Amino acid sequence: MLKIGPYEFSSRLLLGTGKYPNFDVQKEAVEVSQTEILTFSVRRMNIFEPSQPNFLENIDVQKYKLLPNTAGAKTAEEAVRTAKLARASGLCDMIKVEVIGCQKTLLPDPVETLKASEELIKEGFIVLPYTSDDVLLAKRLEELGCHAIMPGASPIGSGQGIINPLNLSFIIEQSNVPVIVDAGIGTPSDATVAMELGADGVLLNTAVSGAEDPVKMAKGMKLAIEAGRLGYEAGRIPKKRYATASSPMEGMSIS
């Protein structure tokens, strides 16, 4: 069971809602993924303009916990303002804090992320900050009171997978709140590796919405995350330099 603040979820897949070919494909992908948390950019939503289409009209939102994000914010002030806008619209009290510091790499600004997270915690939000794989920054965010830590596997939308598994493992090892790998996942095998490292969940968007068949990829990601979690909980065998017979040698007849 994935626990974030006061909420509990059976699925460990958090799914983004942007860049799908159309609303019908988006809806089907969301359904087959069996996610329970949907994330979206508040700035790209026409939440106060009923005449404009948005995915909330196409999906039974009562079935999901919504996780608005502050994508587009470049400062803590912008992120806090965006979060308050989402809450005022009645969407949810959870917020993914995203403060981008570099437009080329889309890496988060660590200082502004800390500032925004601290302010939003004071405002009573359930705060999930998007961060780099900086081990110390992850610890500082947890110490502030963040309800989950969301380190990137690699740059947003790059599909490079996990490029620094060592740092991710350090973050997971030290954390007392859920660690949700966010950004850079490209294939189901990437998601499995994240879960085998001990991550509590995976958030992804482009890997599904940008796939040739988003619906099949959504199902693949669901199964990969389940398999990775089972593998982590089961405990893998240690790696050895030489072979080890799978059948005992004692008691075998010798011709």
Side-chain angles (χ1 to χ4, degrees):
M1 191 71 69
L2 173 61
K3 297 182 179 181
I4 302 176
Y7 304 115
E8 295 186 352
F9 306 96
S10 297
S11 173
R12 295 178 181 272
L13 169 60
L14 291 71
L15 192 62
T17 56
K19 301 186 292 186
Y20 284 84
N22 55 64
F23 282 158
D24 290 337
V25 170
Q26 179 196 62
K27 180 179 180 180
E28 190 174 357
V30 167
E31 289 176 350
V32 302
S33 75
Q34 294 187 6
T35 183
E36 296 172 79
I37 303 176
L38 296 176
T39 185
F40 59 92
S41 170
V42 176
R43 292 191 173 200
R44 296 191 180 95
M45 293 282 296
N46 295 300
I47 54 180
F48 293 122
E49 297 181 39
S51 63
Q52 300 297 317
N54 66 64
F55 85 92
L56 296 176
E57 298 172 347
N58 194 53
I59 293 174
D60 181 5
V61 294
Q62 300 302 317
K63 294 167 57 178
Y64 306 97
K65 181 66 69 176
L66 299 180
L67 177 61
N69 67 56
T70 65
K74 297 179 181 179
T75 66
E77 183 181 2
E78 291 178 355
V80 170
R81 186 166 58 247
T82 301
K84 289 182 177 180
L85 177 65
R87 184 162 68 178
S89 69
L91 295 177
C92 188
D93 57 352
M94 291 205 305
I95 191 74
K96 175 187 170 185
V97 176
E98 187 173 322
V99 186
I100 298 302
C102 173
Q103 291 305 307
K104 183 176 181 179
T105 62
L106 297 182
L107 288 173
D109 183 317
V111 176
E112 296 300 303
T113 298
L114 278 166
K115 288 180 181 178
S117 297
E118 184 174 21
E119 178 61 29
L120 290 169
I121 289 168
K122 291 178 181 177
E123 294 283 344
F125 284 86
I126 308 299
V127 177
L128 295 78
Y130 164 62
T131 180
S132 66
D133 58 11
D134 185 311
V135 179
L136 295 181
L137 177 58
K139 194 61 180 176
R140 296 294 178 269
L141 288 165
E142 180 182 343
E143 289 171 348
L144 278 180
C146 291
H147 301 82
I149 307 298
M150 306 183 76
S154 53
I156 293 173
S158 69
Q160 294 185 50
I162 298 174
I163 58 176
N164 196 344
L166 183 61
N167 271 28
L168 281 181
S169 68
F170 287 157
I171 292 172
I172 291 165
E173 180 181 313
Q174 74 180 7
S175 295
N176 297 303
V177 295
V179 175
I180 300 168
V181 175
D182 177 14
I185 297 296
T187 65
S189 60
D190 294 335
T192 299
V193 170
M195 298 304 294
E196 288 177 341
L197 285 172
D200 296 279
V202 172
L203 189 153
L204 51 85
N205 188 158
T206 306
V208 170
S209 65
E212 292 183 13
D213 189 329
V215 176
K216 282 186 177 180
M217 186 61 78
K219 185 174 182 179
M221 291 296 184
K222 166 192 173 294
L223 296 172
I225 289 170
E226 291 176 356
R229 183 65 184 183
L230 287 171
Y232 170 73
E233 292 177 344
R236 63 155 295 143
I237 62 171
K239 293 182 179 180
K240 299 178 182 178
R241 182 174 177 84
Y242 298 106
T244 301
S246 58
S247 299
M249 301 298 292
E250 294 80 5
M252 293 182 63
S253 59
I254 300 175
S255 56

